[in-house]
Amino acid sequence: MGRLKFATVWLGGCSGCHMSFLDLDEFLFDLAARADVVYSPVGSDIKEYPEGVDVCLIEGAVNNDENLEAAKTVRDRTRLVVSFGDCAVSGNVTALRNTIPDGARMVASRSYLEQADLNPMIPQAEGIVPTLLPLALPVHAVIPVDVYIPGCPPPADRIKAVVQQILEHGTAHLEGRQLKMG
Amino acid sequence: MDLNELIELAEKEILGRKPLRIRICTAAGCLSSGAKAVKQAMDAAVQAAGLGEQMEVSEVGCMRLCCEGPLVAVDPENTLYQRVSGDQAASIVASLNGGGPPSATKGDFSQPFFTRQKAIVLENSGLVEPERIESYLAVGGYQALYKCLRELTPAHVVEEITASGLRGRGGAGYPTGVKWGMVAKMPAERKFVVCNADEGDPGAFMDRSVLESDPHRVLEGMAIAAYAIGASQGYIYVRGEYPLAIRRLETGIRQAKRLGLLGSQIFESSFDFKIDLRIGAGAFVCGEETALIHSIEGQRGVPRPRPPYPAESGLWGCPTLINNVETFANVPAIIREGASWFASIGTEKSKGTKVFALAGKIKNTGLVEVPMGTSLREIVETIGGGAPDGGTIKAVQTGGPSGGCIPASLLDTPVDYESLARLGSIMGSGGMIVMDQTTDMVDVAKFFMEFCMDESCGKCIPCRAGTVQLHRLLSKIGSGQGTSHDLATLESLCEMVKHASLCGLGQSAPNPVLSTLAYFREEYVARLRDHAEGNGRASAAQSAAL
Amino acid sequence: MAVKTLTIDGTLLSAREEQTVLQAARDAGIAIPTLCQLDGLSTVGACRMCLVDIEGTGRLLPACTTRVAEGMVIHTKTERLQSYRRMIVELLFAERNHICAVCVANGACELQDLAIEVGMDHVRFDYLHPECSVDISHKRFGLDHNRCVLCTRCVRACDEVEGAHTWDVAGRGTAARVITDMAQPWGTSETCTSCGKCVQACPTGALFIKGMTVAESRKDRSEIGFLVTAREKKQWVV
């Protein structure tokens, strides 16, 4: 097997999963020895998601139209898609707004109008500021997902277990306490 | 009260009859199309014509051809009038008094709808006056009870019912005699008889009609059962949506008590039997026997796992016999005519007749009683008259939300417990909904699933949360948003809900989906998004409400 | 004491005739997942997690309510049962708003443990996201409907052990909710003795002690069984 084309993306999440990824510490060197990070908010400075990616870890729920487009792009260009962390797996905290009727409008209004100290307004810029979807959804609700890593955030050893399995077997599957959500 | 007095009352009733008798159906169907006004107009017309001595106007029960109501029949010629209105009353009365032909539309008792039926449960329906016990006595009412108390031991009664081959008419088809025998054998001081009149399937009105048309028949059947198993208290659990049935039962119980046919020392024997009504408050699940028991006990109406069955531990932990209205209604006839007579009707494993409420896309909507083993085709095409307005029958739904849709290609199937179960449907309590070529089968499945979802009690997870997800999947597929992945999820979830739910409601909730999938799968597949796109992988996603 | 012999997952074992299949299996060290069952309370067979396949019955039966019988051959871990159990847990997660990350019971939750046990890596059904209320009107305890699985352990603990019957269930289907007294705020209940048995019996974070951190919120779910054993057998043992 040649060098793995490895990517991570960050959708509607807090970036905690990516922070946990950085907790892989010295394993990051092992990974770097066998993989090229071709796209990642914490590992590369490439703006366009490339073609022919082997593995992509997706953090976060699908929360706005930009997230939706990104998820579809990842699916089209990636062999193995991994739901990375509880927001990607279940919607988690990002999806808390789903319980509120008309949640998308309500959270925007809460954040940008009610809580604003200065100049209260809901940011709007066609094509620049993404629009919230009616519901924040887990990744597998919009594209097929191959591997799931629950956890909020998934601890580093869990991420390592998955990445190692992928390096060795081309895919991964967690079991037992490694599946604990939260 | 002894037999002589009973016969005396019957004779007095018969002798008191006037030469001409106008029978007006006052069951709920005809009442809703104006039978009450017809009755008043008819009374007025008889009085105005001064024919009070020769004519009587009787309020009777269901005459079955409900779609043509209000129905009026005239004795002794047995002429039927359909869709009668109050202003036609005078012309009917005049015609009986030697006048010209009446302005009312004549019906035809010799049409297949009537002649192909076989009445046991409905033998008095449309003939006796449900609010007058004397009218029931005139057709031999309560003589079967007398025969049991005076001539048969309880064990003999159980034997007779067992030998008749009668099976539970509530849907499951458990042998009635075996059930009676089990309760009879229980060594308990207190036992109960319960009549399940919580008929709740959409489109079903058999039990309502029996209760509204011939309530004493059910009371007598219950009393015979009580004698057979050794109970002295009975309950009728009747749904609150049936106010007329409730009123007629209350009247019936009061009249029977007054004549000593219910209460203490019935027919001057040592047998006591009291019947009380319990009114359901609108939960479908209370038709499930353990939920029904909880409801009578004053608790939340939720089912519990069986065993123990109510025969062993039912109301307040006492052995309890629960039968459906139609089952009890068969009992007096079996005692009167004998087990072998009953067993000669029907098929090898399903004896007697079955009452169906025929509804939907069918010419003759109404009540139908046929021998077990009659083909579905005979019921819907010959008796029911087929689909109206030149339509073609696509499927027949039996068993309500617990049953399945049988395609037109299988209409030659005989109606009996086993044959219907083989097709993925059930006999059920007797609702039969006919669908024509315009019916959307995914929609049908969704309708019944919505019903089950709303009626799930919430106790067990497969039914409570499973029916909600099944309904969502059906909505998604129905609206063209579903994928082949959703269809697979639908099927595996149906399987789980069917096998893992606690009670019959959940266990049978997937039946309408499974049977429409079995016979009309192409209607599901045609709507899948990836079917239209012909696209594999990408559309296997559950791209939901986006 | 009559003894029955039966086979569970290929192991021949004996059990007392009054035992349930669940008790017999546990005595033999065979674990069957449960949720609505709690030692010390009556069994209701509602969650369907403990369904087992008993040869010759033709249907699946809950181990918690089914008595042992001579010669029973029972399978508790068939592929079919495993797939049903996972589906049941997924249905629960989809039904209310179970967000482990922000739950007071995170790390001490029977639902979370069940998800791990059945291998749930994601939920295949649509999340329903119902709007659920939180009742913190009681002085010491709180009720979060977002986290309730309707196991009715609180209802039974209150009725059968405490004797107060403060709890019950109202509504039906997926709209069913546990309620206190006449569906009024818990803090206004006149029957609640504030004993806290319901909280200890609750498998999730639906019932909780106010003011406790996640780390402190470790319930003693064996308390109910301990009390009942002490009361009925005069044995003060865990």
Side-chain angles (χ1 to χ4, degrees), chain C residues 167-183:
Chain C
W167 291 102
D168 213 315
V169 180
R172 68 189 185 209
T174 204
R177 295 287 182 271
V178 291
I179 54 161
T180 45
D181 285 358
M182 306 305 282

CSV table of all heavy atoms in Angstrom, one decimal, chain C residues 167-183:
chain,number,residue,atom,x,y,z
C,167,TRP,N,-45.8,8.6,41.4
C,167,TRP,CA,-45.6,8.6,39.9
C,167,TRP,C,-46.6,7.7,39.2
C,167,TRP,O,-47.1,6.8,39.8
C,167,TRP,CB,-44.2,7.9,39.7
C,167,TRP,CG,-43.1,8.8,40.1
C,167,TRP,CD1,-42.3,8.6,41.2
C,167,TRP,CD2,-42.5,9.9,39.4
C,167,TRP,NE1,-41.3,9.6,41.3
C,167,TRP,CE2,-41.5,10.4,40.2
C,167,TRP,CE3,-42.8,10.5,38.2
C,167,TRP,CZ2,-40.7,11.4,39.8
C,167,TRP,CZ3,-42.1,11.6,37.8
C,167,TRP,CH2,-41.0,12.1,38.6
C,168,ASP,N,-46.9,8.1,38.0
C,168,ASP,CA,-47.7,7.2,37.1
C,168,ASP,C,-47.3,7.7,35.7
C,168,ASP,O,-46.5,8.5,35.5
C,168,ASP,CB,-49.2,7.3,37.4
C,168,ASP,CG,-49.9,6.0,37.1
C,168,ASP,OD1,-49.6,5.4,36.1
C,168,ASP,OD2,-50.7,5.6,37.9
C,169,VAL,N,-48.0,7.1,34.7
C,169,VAL,CA,-47.8,7.4,33.3
C,169,VAL,C,-49.1,8.0,32.8
C,169,VAL,O,-50.2,7.6,33.0
C,169,VAL,CB,-47.4,6.2,32.5
C,169,VAL,CG1,-47.2,6.5,31.0
C,169,VAL,CG2,-46.2,5.5,33.1
C,170,ALA,N,-48.9,9.1,32.0
C,170,ALA,CA,-50.1,9.7,31.4
C,170,ALA,C,-49.8,9.8,29.9
C,170,ALA,O,-48.7,9.8,29.4
C,170,ALA,CB,-50.3,11.1,31.9
C,171,GLY,N,-50.9,9.9,29.1
C,171,GLY,CA,-50.7,10.0,27.6
C,171,GLY,C,-50.4,8.6,27.1
C,171,GLY,O,-50.2,7.7,27.8
C,172,ARG,N,-50.4,8.5,25.7
C,172,ARG,CA,-50.1,7.2,25.2
C,172,ARG,C,-49.1,7.3,24.0
C,172,ARG,O,-48.8,8.4,23.5
C,172,ARG,CB,-51.4,6.5,24.8
C,172,ARG,CG,-52.1,7.1,23.7
C,172,ARG,CD,-53.5,6.4,23.6
C,172,ARG,NE,-54.2,6.9,22.4
C,172,ARG,CZ,-55.5,6.9,22.3
C,172,ARG,NH1,-56.3,6.6,23.3
C,172,ARG,NH2,-56.1,7.4,21.2
C,173,GLY,N,-48.7,6.2,23.6
C,173,GLY,CA,-47.7,6.1,22.5
C,173,GLY,C,-46.5,6.9,22.8
C,173,GLY,O,-46.1,7.0,24.0
C,174,THR,N,-45.9,7.5,21.8
C,174,THR,CA,-44.6,8.2,22.0
C,174,THR,C,-44.9,9.5,22.8
C,174,THR,O,-43.9,10.1,23.3
C,174,THR,CB,-43.9,8.4,20.7
C,174,THR,OG1,-42.5,8.5,20.9
C,174,THR,CG2,-44.5,9.5,19.9
C,175,ALA,N,-46.1,9.9,23.0
C,175,ALA,CA,-46.4,11.1,23.8
C,175,ALA,C,-46.6,10.7,25.3
C,175,ALA,O,-46.9,11.6,26.1
C,175,ALA,CB,-47.7,11.8,23.2
C,176,ALA,N,-46.5,9.5,25.6
C,176,ALA,CA,-46.6,9.1,27.0
C,176,ALA,C,-45.5,9.8,27.9
C,176,ALA,O,-44.4,9.9,27.4
C,176,ALA,CB,-46.6,7.6,27.2
C,177,ARG,N,-45.9,10.2,29.1
C,177,ARG,CA,-44.9,10.8,30.0
C,177,ARG,C,-45.1,10.3,31.4
C,177,ARG,O,-46.3,10.1,31.8
C,177,ARG,CB,-45.1,12.3,30.0
C,177,ARG,CG,-44.8,13.1,28.7
C,177,ARG,CD,-43.3,13.1,28.4
C,177,ARG,NE,-43.0,13.9,27.2
C,177,ARG,CZ,-43.0,13.3,25.9
C,177,ARG,NH1,-43.2,12.0,25.8
C,177,ARG,NH2,-42.7,14.1,24.9
C,178,VAL,N,-44.0,10.2,32.2
C,178,VAL,CA,-44.2,9.9,33.6
C,178,VAL,C,-44.7,11.2,34.2
C,178,VAL,O,-44.3,12.3,33.8
C,178,VAL,CB,-42.9,9.4,34.3
C,178,VAL,CG1,-42.6,8.0,33.8
C,178,VAL,CG2,-41.8,10.4,34.1
C,179,ILE,N,-45.6,11.1,35.2
C,179,ILE,CA,-46.2,12.3,35.8
C,179,ILE,C,-46.1,12.1,37.3
C,179,ILE,O,-46.0,11.0,37.8
C,179,ILE,CB,-47.6,12.5,35.4
C,179,ILE,CG1,-48.5,11.3,35.6
C,179,ILE,CG2,-47.7,13.0,34.0
C,179,ILE,CD1,-50.0,11.5,35.7
C,180,THR,N,-46.2,13.2,38.1
C,180,THR,CA,-46.3,13.1,39.5
C,180,THR,C,-47.8,13.6,39.9
C,180,THR,O,-48.2,14.6,39.3
C,180,THR,CB,-45.3,14.0,40.2
C,180,THR,OG1,-45.3,15.3,39.6
C,180,THR,CG2,-43.9,13.4,40.2
C,181,ASP,N,-48.4,12.9,40.8
C,181,ASP,CA,-49.8,13.1,41.2
C,181,ASP,C,-50.7,13.3,40.0
C,181,ASP,O,-50.6,12.5,39.0
C,181,ASP,CB,-49.9,14.3,42.1
C,181,ASP,CG,-49.4,13.9,43.6
C,181,ASP,OD1,-49.0,12.7,43.7
C,181,ASP,OD2,-49.3,14.8,44.4
C,182,MET,N,-51.4,14.4,39.9
C,182,MET,CA,-52.3,14.6,38.8
C,182,MET,C,-51.6,15.5,37.7
C,182,MET,O,-52.1,16.5,37.3
C,182,MET,CB,-53.6,15.4,39.3
C,182,MET,CG,-54.3,14.7,40.5
C,182,MET,SD,-54.7,13.0,40.1
C,182,MET,CE,-56.1,13.1,39.1
C,183,ALA,N,-50.5,15.0,37.2
C,183,ALA,CA,-49.7,15.7,36.2
C,183,ALA,C,-49.4,17.1,36.6
C,183,ALA,O,-49.7,18.0,35.8
C,183,ALA,CB,-50.4,15.6,34.8
